[in-house]
Amino acid sequence: MNLEAIIASIVEEMRAAPDRGEVATYIPSLAGVDPGQFGMAVVTADGQVFAGGDAETAFSIQSISKVFALTLALGKVGDRLWNRVGREPSGSAFNSIVQLEAEQGIPRNPFINAGAIVVSDVNLAGHAPREAIGELVHFIRYLASDDGIAIDEAVARSEQETGERNRALAHYMRAFGNLHHPVELTLGVYFHACAIAMSCRQLAMAGRYLMLCGAHPEGGRVISDKRARRINALMLTCGHYDQSGDFAFRVGMPGKSGVGGGILAIVPGKASIAVWSPGLSRNGNSQLGSLALERLADATGWSVFGL
Ligand code: DON
């Protein structure tokens, strides 16, 4: 299989694609991103990196950070996390509040905002917010073997200024006793996680542990193989909000999207893939990113459902 040629042809198609979706506007600092960009990086299990388009341009990883924050939280409290967060697809928007009332402040899964806010609350325990944020950034640098990964402070400020829905979710969960720290402290951790900036290359590198059953490619183990399997399962069932079923149908890989237009996708045992194009479908997932992954799955046969 000639991955270089496959990626080059996908990049060419995506560069010219007329229907690119809409850039997220509800956070002012995301609204100004040029929708013409497209990048893609693939790291294979033997450590080769294939990249194309704007693969070196840093973008706001947004909700993709929820995968790394979940990994960290599971390392701290293990399966006790599941007393506070569910493991079912929500079938509703990433920032929806409706299910929280019927389900007594327990979010459906760790990849919708409410779930990620509980995860941030877990990661905050025993720390000042600044330390909890630093721990997450260091963890991602370790996963990616890259010290150049940092937070975009302008995006973090923008999140803080426009995060009223997240405040509503957090207060509501706190009323049910499912948030242990003051709302502004927990949200400080959550907003900064969303504002981490990474390139496709860095993101694909950071996802290597999920393709390698929890092992770090440079030695040692990030998490157990069972935990890696479970995180991949959650990405497949919940990683694209109310479009998770459609993503599984079209692409067939565990994946996590963010409103910055990035998607991290994992082919267990084979590849860690990052794509980025800022225009979103109406469910808040990268329009061309999903299409590019569909093309890649078709060209390579990579999927968790095939041979
Ligand atoms: O919580 C928010 O509003 C965002 N900063 C993060 C959400 C996100 O990426 C959801 N995704 N598709």
Side-chain angles (χ1 to χ4, degrees):
M1 163 179 8
N2 185 345
L3 262 182
E4 220 168 281
I6 292 172
I7 291 173
S9 111
I10 294 173
V11 167
E12 196 182 318
E13 180 187 347
M14 298 308 146
R15 277 263 159 88
D19 182 10
R20 311 187 74 85
E22 300 289 327
V23 173
T25 50
Y26 76 105
I27 300 170
S29 67
L30 293 181
V33 179
D34 169 12
Q37 302 175 91
F38 175 83
M40 183 166 195
V42 177
V43 183
T44 52
D46 59 3
Q48 294 186 75
V49 183
F50 301 86
D54 302 305
E56 315 295 337
T57 305
F59 59 89
S60 190
I61 68 166
Q62 291 291 317
S63 286
I64 303 169
S65 65
K66 293 175 166 88
V67 175
F68 307 123
L70 170 67
T71 307
L72 206 54
L74 285 169
K76 290 172 190 287
V77 300
D79 284 345
R80 280 185 291 138
L81 181 71
W82 306 120
N83 299 328
R84 296 177 60 185
V85 186
R87 305 188 294 255
E88 292 294 344
S90 67
S92 46
F94 66 90
N95 54 8
S96 171
I97 199 167
V98 289
Q99 283 162 346
L100 277 181
E101 179 167 23
E103 296 172 8
Q104 323 265 273
I106 309 285
R108 273 287 172 101
N109 67 66
F111 294 152
I112 51 173
N113 285 13
I117 291 168
V118 172
V119 165
S120 299
D121 197 58
V122 168
N123 287 336
L124 179 56
H127 290 295
R130 181 181 295 275
E131 294 165 348
I133 295 158
E135 188 183 25
L136 180 63
V137 173
H138 279 105
F139 181 56
I140 296 174
R141 288 178 181 166
Y142 152 72
L143 294 175
S145 308
D146 190 326
D147 285 339
I149 295 164
I151 288 170
D152 182 331
E153 290 296 341
V155 174
R157 267 196 307 278
S158 213
E159 301 269 354
Q160 216 123 24
E161 284 161 13
T162 57
E164 299 310 340
R165 282 189 82 113
N166 287 320
R167 287 189 180 90
L169 293 170
H171 279 290
Y172 205 57
M173 291 190 291
R174 196 162 153 81
F176 282 102
N178 199 16
L179 212 70
H180 300 168
H181 300 89
V183 163
E184 282 306 321
L185 299 190
T186 298
L187 285 181
V189 177
Y190 172 77
F191 289 141
H192 280 80
C194 292
I196 293 169
M198 293 169 78
S199 66
C200 286
R201 178 187 293 267
Q202 290 170 326
L203 194 53
M205 291 290 279
R208 293 174 299 176
Y209 73 108
L210 292 171
M211 96 169 130
L212 298 175
C213 300
H216 195 293
E218 283 158 29
R221 190 155 268 293
V222 181
I223 50 174
S224 68
D225 56 352
K226 181 174 179 180
R227 189 160 286 166
R229 207 161 66 225
R230 287 173 156 188
I231 294 172
N232 281 331
L234 288 167
M235 289 170 73
L236 185 85
T237 52
C238 311
H240 284 73
Y241 315 107
D242 42 343
Q243 220 174 13
S244 297
D246 188 58
F247 186 81
F249 179 82
R250 289 170 54 200
V251 178
M253 302 172 191
K256 182 73 203 85
S257 71
V259 289
I263 302 176
L264 172 65
I266 304 295
V267 191
K270 292 199 170 70
S272 171
I273 306 158
V275 290
W276 170 59
S277 178
L280 308 178
S281 68
R282 68 182 167 76
N283 311 70
N285 302 308
S286 175
Q287 173 128 333
L288 293 186
S290 314
L291 184 61
L293 287 169
E294 191 177 355
R295 296 280 190 267
L296 184 69
D298 287 344
T300 57
W302 286 345
S303 150
V304 295
F305 298 109
L307 287 177

